[in-house]
């Protein structure tokens, strides 16, 4: 069994107050392991994003504990949570969130810059990260001049350039066509398998299930299905879901 | 090098119109403060110019005299009493006062007469550019400043006019001896000064005292006070300078008006920079939220905003400095010279930086409330 990177125990989360109060998560137990690409799937309003935010240390649970690389997030203040994110987590966002005034290389380098890594070494690492997503020739391009798929690849390079233990990706393929979606998922799968990282992808895109080592389904704030926890490894044909 | 500077620069240049508006605000503010403070220091220098050049250690003044130009008089016989005090090297009575200057066309303008004792090493014209001060020993000769040619209706050395109905000839020209009251100074021999100002031989305006090199200043002052009685005052040159400045700049309200203008400039500048920085930060909130989501510390984000503020400050200050230099050059020979010293430049740079950084704090307060989770909602 691979090393656990993030472990959530008995997570409950209540959103809103009074009449608008919603039980977004109702007791989730989950562990993300090194070398595993996990899909978190579920319908809208099922609690996917809330769980992602809690696992990503951006939201604190109403009850339960989250441990990231051995550090418990309970009672951590905002700055301590930011430190955990900085030290252990890389994020890929649905709408890329690249800095429009910075080149592709600078966008990637920002992830090192906020970690106090500057200068030529940081520039070299950023260039290498772009190379790993096949964009070394677009290093000087501004996001506006890149396609959606290229922008998402830059975002992935930014997420893993600092070598985090886990990458959390929110709907990374939803705005992309089939070819670009596949390319993005291949990169994320490579990060999980070749670089031995934990990768969690929140999605309701059925075309990408073939890339998953594990699929977790969430409904009404509870885990409805967790294939690998049951010991069943998913091995769907790689092209089965995509047209 | 950190990307903080790059990010700050790009954020600023991203919206050029707003950047220009910010710079205009800073330049307006700094130039306004620079001119107001430059005028203040210019005035401060002008009101003490005679005191500064009198070569005096101490001044004996009629009690309550507020400035060099004060018209009150003291008894000239005090000179002997003061001269007998141990430690006093010389005592020179000074005769000053207002008079009338009539030009050939018959037009009359007020002038301020300064009596010169050519035998003493005390107040006498300086910055002499033409003629000879020693010529003032001849009756009917004067020294004037060439920047007052227009006011005095003369054009060159040797020109003539009348003071109180008596013909005078310009025997020496100075450059840059200007009066805060805008009334031209006219240097004449001390005897003539009494004549033109109606000062009796038994009276003088002030006594200018030089001390011996080894004199105990405090003791000499006390001894003079003990000896000359209560209708007079003994001030050091510095005390007299401060009193004159205080009277002209604050007693008249001129200094307060200048300071009020400077404060207004700082407030306007701060508001403009704060508004534009806040609006720039608001436009880039999603980027700051992304940085926060990626795990950036608050300090990293604050440093981006502070760099933006500092860039605004430095660029704005350079432009304002260039404008200030032009203004200083344009006014240096005018009735309202603006004096900008290296200290004032340094203080203005510091003020500009403080103004911009304080403005940045408003933007920082907004950024503090960023929720990194908002990145996932967009």
């Amino acid at each position: 069994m691979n090393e656990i990177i993030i472990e959530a125990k008995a997570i409950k989360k209540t959103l809103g107050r009074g009449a608008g109060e919603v039980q977004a998560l109702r007791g989730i137990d989950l562990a993300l392991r090194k070398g595993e690409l996990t899909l978190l799937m579920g319908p809208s309003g099922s609690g996917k994003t809330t769980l992602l935010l809690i696992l990503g240390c951006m939201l604190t649970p109403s009850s339960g504990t989250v441990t990231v690389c051995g550090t418990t997030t309970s009672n951590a203040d905002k700055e301590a949570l930011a430190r955990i994110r900085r030290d252990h987590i890389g994020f890929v966002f649905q709408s890329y969130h690249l800095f429009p005034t910075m080149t592709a290389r600078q966008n990637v380098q920002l992830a090192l810059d906020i970690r106090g890594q500057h200068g030529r070494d940081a520039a070299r690492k950023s260039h290498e990260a772009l190379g790993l997503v096949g964009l070394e020739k677009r290093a000087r391009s501004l996001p506006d001049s890149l396609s959606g798929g290229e922008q998402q690849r830059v975002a992935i390079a930014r997420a893993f350039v600092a070598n985090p233990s886990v990458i959390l990706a929110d709907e990374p393929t939803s705005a992309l066509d089939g070819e670009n979606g596949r390319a993005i998922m291949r990169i994320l799968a490579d990060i999980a398998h070749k670089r031995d990282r934990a990768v969690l992808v929140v999605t309701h895109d059925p075309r990408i299930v073939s890339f998953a080592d594990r699929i977790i389904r969430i409904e009404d704030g509870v885990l409805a299905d967790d294939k690998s926890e049951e010991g069943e490894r998913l091995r769907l044909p790689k092209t089965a879901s995509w047209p | 090098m950190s990307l903080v500077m790059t990010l700050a620069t790009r954020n600023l240049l991203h919206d050029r119109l707003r950047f220009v508006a910010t710079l205009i605000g800073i330049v307006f503010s700094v130039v306004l403060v620079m001119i107001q403070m430059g005028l203040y220091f210019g005035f401060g220098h002008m009101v003490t110019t005679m005191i500064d050049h009198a070569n005096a250690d101490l001044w004996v003044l009629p009690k309550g005299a507020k400035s060099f130009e004060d018209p009150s008089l003291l008894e000239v016989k005090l000179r002997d009493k003061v001269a007998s005090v141990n430690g006093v090297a010389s005592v020179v009575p000074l005769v000053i006062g207002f008079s009338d200057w009539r030009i050939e066309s018959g037009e009359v303008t007020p002038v301020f007469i300064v009596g010169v004792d050519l035998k003493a090493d005390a107040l006498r014209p300086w910055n002499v550019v033409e003629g000879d001060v020693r010529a003032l020993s001849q009756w009917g000769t004067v020294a004037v400043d060439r920047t007052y040619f227009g006011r005095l209706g003369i054009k060159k050395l040797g020109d003539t006019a009348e003071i109180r109905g008596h013909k005078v000839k310009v025997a020496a020209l100075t450059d840059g001896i200007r009066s805060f009251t805008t009334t031209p100074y006219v240097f004449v021999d001390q005897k003539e000064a009494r004549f033109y100002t109606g000062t009796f031989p038994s009276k003088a305006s002030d006594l200018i005292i030089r001390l011996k090199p080894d004199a105990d200043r405090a003791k000499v002052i006390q001894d003079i006070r003990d000896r000359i009685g209560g209708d007079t005052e003994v001030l050091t040159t510095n005390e007299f300078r401060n009193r004159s400045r205080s009277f002209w700049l604050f007693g008249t309200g001129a200094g307060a008006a200048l300071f009020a203008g400077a404060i207004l400039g700082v407030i306007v500048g701060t508001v403009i920079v704060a508004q534009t920085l806040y609006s720039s930060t608001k436009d880039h909130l999603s980027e700051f939220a992304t940085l926060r989501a990626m795990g950036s510390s608050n300090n990293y984000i604050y440093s981006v905003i502070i760099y933006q503020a500092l860039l605004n400050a430095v660029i704005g200050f350079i432009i304002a400095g260039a404008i200030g230099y032009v203004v200083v050059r344009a006014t240096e020979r005018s009735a309202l010279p603006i004096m900008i010293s290296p200290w004032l430049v340094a203080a203005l740079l510091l003020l500009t930086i403080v103004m911009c950084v304080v403005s940045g704090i408003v933007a920082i307060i907004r950024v503090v409330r960023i929720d990194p989770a908002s990145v996932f909602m967009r």
Side-chain angles (χ1 to χ4, degrees):
Chain A
M1 189 68 76
N2 286 347
E3 182 189 340
I4 292 175
I5 301 298
I6 297 184
E7 185 167 30
K9 284 185 181 168
I11 298 296
K12 290 183 181 174
K13 182 66 182 177
T14 305
L15 299 174
R17 282 182 185 175
E21 191 174 287
V22 176
Q23 281 280 109
L25 299 177
R26 301 160 187 265
I28 301 267
D29 291 301
L30 176 66
L32 298 180
R33 291 188 175 84
K34 265 186 174 180
E36 206 171 58
L37 192 155
T38 305
L39 295 190
L40 177 61
M41 304 186 81
S44 293
S46 58
K48 303 190 295 289
T49 303
T50 304
L51 181 57
L52 180 77
L53 292 176
I54 288 173
L55 296 176
C57 302
M58 290 194 211
L59 202 59
T60 47
S62 304
S63 67
T65 58
V66 176
T67 307
V68 180
C69 295
T71 306
T72 306
T73 64
S74 310
N75 304 322
D77 61 16
K78 287 183 177 180
E79 222 28 44
L81 290 173
R83 200 175 311 120
I84 294 171
R85 292 198 295 273
R86 188 161 67 236
D87 291 345
H88 303 295
I89 306 173
F91 289 96
V92 178
F93 310 107
Q94 182 178 359
S95 39
Y96 326 133
H97 284 292
L98 298 179
F99 290 71
T101 57
M102 311 281 268
T103 65
R105 202 259 299 152
Q106 287 170 330
N107 265 284
V108 175
Q109 199 173 329
L110 265 177
L112 297 170
D113 209 56
I114 62 169
R115 289 163 170 89
Q117 297 178 42
H118 316 295
R120 287 186 180 179
D121 194 41
R124 181 186 53 75
K125 283 183 185 172
S126 307
H127 213 269
E128 282 172 10
L130 280 175
L132 289 170
V133 296
L135 284 179
E136 64 270 56
K137 288 184 180 166
R138 307 301 305 270
R140 289 169 182 268
S141 302
L142 289 172
D144 271 358
S145 65
L146 300 174
S147 69
E150 287 173 326
Q151 288 189 52
Q152 193 59 294
R153 280 192 274 162
V154 173
I156 292 171
R158 180 177 68 182
F160 76 75
V161 70
N163 224 7
S165 304
V166 58
I167 288 182
L168 304 180
D170 180 36
E171 305 274 9
T173 58
S174 65
L176 304 177
D177 60 24
E179 188 183 339
N180 278 309
R182 270 195 299 277
I184 293 300
M185 287 311 298
R186 269 187 217 112
I187 293 168
L188 290 172
D190 278 352
I191 291 170
H193 303 142
K194 293 181 182 169
R195 297 181 156 257
D196 203 22
R197 304 288 152 199
V199 178
L200 175 71
V201 177
V202 171
T203 186
H204 34 18
D205 185 348
R207 300 173 299 179
I208 66 171
V209 293
S210 59
F211 292 93
D213 299 308
R214 175 183 172 194
I215 297 175
I216 300 168
R217 294 186 196 279
I218 184 169
E219 280 176 27
D220 295 330
V222 292
L223 294 190
D225 195 13
D226 186 345
K227 295 292 185 190
S228 70
E229 288 294 304
E230 293 170 3
E232 180 187 338
R233 304 293 291 178
L234 287 162
R235 284 288 175 251
L236 298 176
K238 294 289 178 192
T239 54
S241 310
W242 240 300
Chain B
M1 198 177 86
S2 170
L3 288 175
V4 166
M5 193 70 175
T6 311
L7 190 55
T9 312
R10 301 276 171 87
N11 279 357
L12 272 187
L13 297 177
H14 185 58
D15 186 341
R16 295 198 179 162
L17 200 61
R18 180 163 44 212
F19 181 49
V20 169
T22 310
L23 288 182
I24 288 172
I26 295 169
V27 169
F28 170 79
S29 171
V30 176
V31 168
L32 182 58
V33 175
M34 191 185 289
I35 288 175
Q36 298 291 99
M37 295 314 296
L39 279 173
Y40 175 81
F41 288 117
F43 286 173
H45 180 74
M46 280 176 88
V47 297
T48 64
T49 188
M50 288 293 171
I51 300 170
D52 294 339
H53 289 88
N55 198 22
D57 291 316
L58 301 176
W59 293 74
V60 176
L61 313 169
K63 189 156 193 161
K66 293 178 175 61
S67 67
F68 177 82
E69 290 82 2
D70 196 291
S72 43
L73 299 168
L74 48 71
E75 296 294 329
V76 81
K77 65 185 178 191
L78 293 174
R79 174 187 188 169
D80 296 335
K81 287 186 180 179
V82 174
S84 67
V85 171
N86 201 17
V88 171
S90 68
V91 185
V92 181
L94 181 67
V95 177
I96 55 172
F98 288 93
S99 193
D100 303 326
W101 176 283
R102 183 187 295 274
I103 60 178
E104 278 185 6
S105 67
E107 200 178 320
V108 174
T109 188
V111 290
F112 193 84
I113 301 292
V114 179
V116 174
D117 184 347
L118 289 170
K119 285 173 282 189
D121 180 23
L123 183 60
R124 56 170 63 192
W126 65 96
N127 283 356
V128 177
V129 290
E130 262 188 90
D132 190 345
V133 172
R134 285 172 296 187
L136 294 182
S137 60
Q138 295 170 17
W139 190 269
T141 53
V142 298
V144 296
D145 197 89
R146 62 183 180 185
T147 58
Y148 285 120
F149 272 0
R151 288 282 300 280
L152 298 174
I154 54 176
K155 290 175 183 161
K156 62 183 186 308
L157 195 71
D159 279 0
T160 57
E162 283 181 9
I163 301 178
R164 288 218 168 151
H166 294 269
K167 189 173 178 183
V168 292
K169 182 179 166 187
V170 178
L173 290 175
T174 62
D175 184 49
I177 305 180
R178 296 191 62 91
S179 162
F180 176 70
T181 60
T182 72
T183 303
Y185 289 122
V186 175
F187 291 91
V188 299
D189 180 76
Q190 198 175 87
K191 285 184 194 132
E192 280 181 75
R194 292 185 184 284
F195 184 71
Y196 296 138
T197 59
T199 306
F200 291 114
S202 61
K203 301 284 183 182
S205 305
D206 316 300
L207 298 179
I208 295 173
I209 302 169
R210 291 282 293 162
L211 299 179
K212 290 175 181 168
D214 58 348
D216 178 343
R217 182 179 296 246
K219 186 171 184 312
V220 172
I221 291 171
Q222 192 52 52
D223 287 351
I224 296 172
R225 281 180 184 150
D226 292 343
R227 207 162 290 195
I228 62 177
D231 291 339
T232 54
E233 290 183 89
V234 185
L235 299 183
T236 64
T237 294
N238 214 28
E239 287 168 340
F240 191 26
R241 204 180 274 138
N242 290 340
R243 181 183 287 192
S244 290
R245 278 191 189 135
S246 174
F247 170 71
W248 284 115
L249 295 176
F250 294 103
T252 63
L258 292 172
F259 269 116
I263 291 168
L264 187 68
V266 174
I267 292 171
V268 169
T270 306
V271 169
I272 291 175
V273 180
Q275 201 278 330
T276 49
L277 258 184
Y278 179 82
S279 127
S280 164
T281 304
K282 216 172 154 195
D283 280 1
H284 294 280
L285 269 186
S286 85
E287 290 164 33
F288 290 126
T290 304
L291 280 176
R292 197 74 178 124
M294 287 161 62
S296 131
S297 65
N298 270 333
N299 285 343
Y300 187 90
I301 295 174
Y302 300 160
S303 59
V304 174
I305 295 171
I306 294 297
Y307 263 119
Q308 281 183 236
L310 289 176
L311 275 173
N312 278 327
V314 170
I315 297 170
F317 184 80
I318 290 170
I319 298 170
I323 294 172
Y325 177 76
V326 172
V327 172
V328 168
R329 293 303 301 267
T331 62
E332 64 188 355
R333 303 181 67 78
S334 74
L336 294 174
I338 292 168
M339 281 185 66
I340 296 178
S341 65
W343 283 110
L344 179 58
V345 172
L348 280 171
L349 176 60
L350 185 66
L351 178 76
T352 313
I353 289 171
V354 169
M355 183 175 80
C356 290
V357 171
V358 166
S359 305
I361 289 169
V362 179
I364 283 173
I365 289 169
R366 178 69 186 89
V367 166
V368 166
R369 299 201 300 261
I370 285 183
D371 179 6
S374 63
V375 178
F376 289 89
M377 311 303 172
R378 295 188 181 95

